[in-house]
Each structure stands twice: as C-alpha cells, then as structure tokens.
Amino acid sequence: MRKKIVAGNWKMNLLLDEAEKLNKSIDDAVNQNSFGCEVYNFVPSIYLKSIVDNSKNIHIGAQNGHPEKVGAFTGEISMNQLSAIGSKAVLIGHSERRQLFNESEAFLKEKVNAAIEEDIKVFFCCGESLEQRESGKYIEVVISQLKNSLFHLPVEDFQKTVIAYEPIWAIGTGKTASPEQANAMHKAIREAISKVYSPAIAESTSILYGGSCNPANAKTLLSQSDIDGGLIGGASLKTEDFLTIISTYK
Ligand code: PEP
C-alpha cells in the first residue's frame, strides 16, 4: 500500500504566534484521531526551529534549501542547516520557485542531491502551465521535468522521494484539475517511474495532487486511484479546512 500524505504549504504567510497556534491545532488533532495519512507542514524557514521542536505528531519541512553546504549565499539556508535543526523534509521545484526565482532544472537537480545527502525527504513538485496544457503536450512537459531533476537518482534514493503534481494553472487560482485530469497525469507519472525504475517502485511511490484543493473538492480528488494525497496551499492556513482535507483519509 502506498503511503497517503497530506501536506500544507504555508508559503510566506502567518506571523509567529499564528503559525504556532495553527501548527499546534493540527498536531493535537493528529494526536487525537487516527487519520490514515501522514501529515506534513512546510513552514516559513524563520519558524522552522520552534515549530519542529513543538511538533510531535506531524512532520515539519522547509519550503526551500540551497544545494551548497556553506558559503557566501546571503539569505539562503543550506540543506545541512535544515537537517541540523531537525527539519527532515523539503519542497523542491515548486512552480513559484521555478517562475518567480528562475530556478532551473539543473539547479533543482543539485538541490535534490543535496537534500538526499542530508537524508531530507524530497517533495518534488512538477506541473504544466495553462499554455502547455492547451498545447496538448502537458504529459511530455511534466515527465521531462522529472527526468531532468529527479530521475537521475539511484533507486534507493528515489524511493525516499514524494512527487507532487501541481498544474500551474490550478495553483492559488481557485481552478482545480478535474479528478479525471489529475488522475490521468498521476497515471502517466507512474508509468514513467515504472519505465525508469520498475513497476514495483512505481506502485510504491506516493504522488500528491496540488492546486486549489479545498474541503469541498478534496474527497473526490484524493480518492482517485492514482492520487495518494494532497499538497495544500491556501486551505492549509485554516485549521478547520486543513483538518477536513486530512479527514479524507480517516
Ligand atoms: C501550492 O502552492 O502548493 C498549492 C497547491 O497552493 P493552493 O492550494 O493555494 O492552490
């Protein structure tokens, strides 16, 4: 059975007291319920240490990490700095980093390698733009993102990664991929994993959907055969909404 995962991506939101309150309410709820999924929160780096130290039932990850271990990279945080404070997961390849911060596929590959070296779980994001979807080439686009930054990993390292399919046109827009569209892409990703690694590895890889997933649509989206959970932006900022999504896997 593939692991089900629901992960919140807080992006650049919340002040410290709000962040701690939200995280505690999720951590407590996960403690009190037997949800059938693992729960992650990807929090702003400035809060990582305090939130890692106060989380017992959920996993806390970073939204970014630099591939170099040390050096003159003002404003950056290395993967080994993340690891040293106990943050054992990282988002890599989010479309906001690709588009707004011009992160190239080669750079993402270096980040993947650095995270793996520090034993940090990689949540690798991929997804096509609206233009690419409308061109009909969206499957090729997404598979090539995976080939260029993730599929170089040896199987034992690839097995430690999670993939998040996030169509760019659905992120923060209120438009979701239909369950059929999302599931078809997840199947295509699984087929690609099967070819590069093996059918058994493809069967055991968790592939999450992200893009305007909310309490109203989570059940349908997250119960598709090839969707193993969600990466949730806006709806992870409200306790009730995030818990409703998590409860999909009760
Ligand atoms: C995200 O940024 O990863 C995301 C899925 O955002 P939203 O849920 O707000 O579309």
Side-chain angles (χ1 to χ4, degrees):
M1 257 285 271
R2 289 191 289 274
K3 230 177 238 169
K4 305 290 188 202
I5 298 172
V6 177
N9 174 14
W10 293 357
K11 311 191 188 193
M12 196 174 72
N13 291 297
L14 306 171
L15 297 178
L16 179 61
D17 56 339
E18 297 166 327
E20 287 179 337
K21 200 167 152 213
L22 172 62
N23 196 71
K24 184 172 176 351
S25 61
I26 304 298
D27 193 67
D28 287 348
V30 170
N31 186 34
Q32 284 152 22
N33 294 273
S34 43
F35 297 119
C37 61
E38 290 188 354
V39 177
Y40 283 73
N41 271 332
F42 288 92
V43 313
S45 310
I46 190 169
Y47 307 148
L48 267 171
K49 174 85 171 93
S50 101
I51 292 199
V52 163
D53 288 349
N54 288 298
S55 300
K56 295 190 186 71
N57 308 289
I58 62 177
H59 305 269
I60 304 301
Q63 296 171 16
N64 191 22
H66 196 275
E68 296 297 331
K69 272 198 168 69
V70 289
F73 299 97
T74 301
E76 291 293 321
I77 296 170
S78 70
M79 299 291 179
N80 68 327
Q81 287 174 322
L82 295 177
S83 175
I85 59 117
S87 179
K88 287 295 192 180
V90 68
L91 293 180
I92 297 180
H94 193 284
S95 60
E96 286 154 17
R97 303 262 1 140
R98 291 179 194 257
Q99 291 188 316
L100 305 175
F101 300 95
N102 299 318
E103 292 192 355
S104 69
E105 293 185 319
F107 188 57
L108 299 178
K109 184 176 178 180
E110 284 180 46
K111 287 189 181 199
V112 165
N113 293 341
I116 295 284
E117 200 184 322
E118 296 299 331
D119 209 17
I120 293 178
K121 195 170 191 67
V122 171
F123 280 59
F124 188 83
C125 307
C126 54
E128 80 285 0
S129 65
L130 185 58
E131 204 186 355
Q132 289 163 333
R133 164 107 350 213
E134 286 172 346
S135 76
K137 297 231 158 67
Y138 47 95
I139 292 185
E140 288 94 314
V141 166
V142 168
I143 303 306
S144 103
Q145 290 173 347
L146 294 166
K147 284 193 172 147
N148 292 337
S149 310
L150 190 69
F151 284 172
H152 63 284
L153 288 175
V155 65
E156 62 277 14
D157 291 333
F158 177 77
Q159 281 179 293
K160 297 176 202 157
T161 69
V162 169
I163 293 174
Y165 167 57
E166 302 202 298
I168 298 169
W169 46 273
I171 297 180
T173 58
K175 283 186 202 157
T176 42
S178 69
E180 295 74 24
Q181 284 173 321
N183 204 44
M185 180 61 88
H186 284 224
K187 270 189 198 300
I189 293 172
R190 214 176 292 290
E191 268 169 38
I193 300 170
S194 177
K195 281 191 196 136
V196 173
Y197 294 100
S198 72
I201 295 294
E203 264 314 296
S204 65
T205 303
S206 298
I207 308 176
L208 317 185
Y209 169 78
S212 298
C213 189
N214 60 43
N217 60 29
K219 219 176 191 98
T220 331
L221 277 165
L222 304 191
S223 60
Q224 298 300 304
S225 59
D226 279 272
I227 300 185
D228 308 309
L231 181 55
I232 318 295
S236 70
L237 298 171
K238 290 193 188 127
T239 303
E240 283 307 306
D241 288 358
F242 195 47
L243 286 177
T244 304
I245 297 173
I246 294 170
S247 307
T248 306
Y249 295 121
K250 226 179 166 138

